[in-house]
Amino acid sequence: MTDNPTTPTYAALSVPPETGNGYPDAYARSSAARIKRKLGNHGGIGNFGVNHVTLPAGCQSALRHWHTRQDEFVMVLTGELVLQTDAGERVLRAGDCAAFPKGTGDGHALQNRSDAEATYLEIGDRTEGDEVDYSDIDMAVRWIDGAEYFVRRSDGSVIQKAE
């Protein structure tokens, strides 16, 4: 399949990849090699995000986190990933899905502990005012004067503006 400007069809791997994350430097390493293709944005979708994500061997999807207002859903396409939540760890393989309802306080992250690349589809809504808490570190994303910032959960002090 090739991109066709007259219809909303395109090949997932034709969407330009973005590597890394927007985390502060102290927390960026675990998912620095993550490759994300923003499929929904490429197709002009605004109400929800759809991403094709590639995790090289040894890479993590994100810091373990949860959203206050945003639901998330993932489906593993290739490879094997380890899902981490408050309940522990669970291996996910191609065809397995995981749903993360908003506001649960149960942080989640995917790790590729295998020797091979793994891919998954990530879908999330774009509810205004969503904030994020990181379960294992003193960091959160909060809105301050109309912009998103990484802050310390313990005292609200700003670490850096979120990208």
Side-chain angles (χ1 to χ4, degrees), residues 13-14 22 25 39 45 48 55 68 79 82 84 88 90 94 103-104 111 116 135 141 143 157 160:
L13 296 182
S14 73
D25 289 343
L39 305 181
I45 293 174
F48 59 94
L55 294 182
T68 59
V82 176
Q84 297 177 300
R90 181 176 179 156
T104 65
Q111 288 186 337
S135 302
V141 174
W143 286 91
S157 63
Q160 77 177 40

Side-chain angles (χ1 to χ4, degrees), residues 2 15 17 25 30 40-41 46 59 75 84 95 107 109 118 130 153 159 163:
T2 59
V15 175
D25 289 343
S30 64
N41 289 3
C59 188
M75 179 178 176
Q84 297 177 300
D130 180 45
R153 285 185 303 159
I159 299 169
E163 298 176 13

Side-chain angles (χ1 to χ4, degrees), residues 41-57:
N41 289 3
H42 188 78
I45 293 174
N47 290 335
F48 59 94
V50 180
N51 301 312
H52 179 279
V53 183
T54 302
L55 294 182

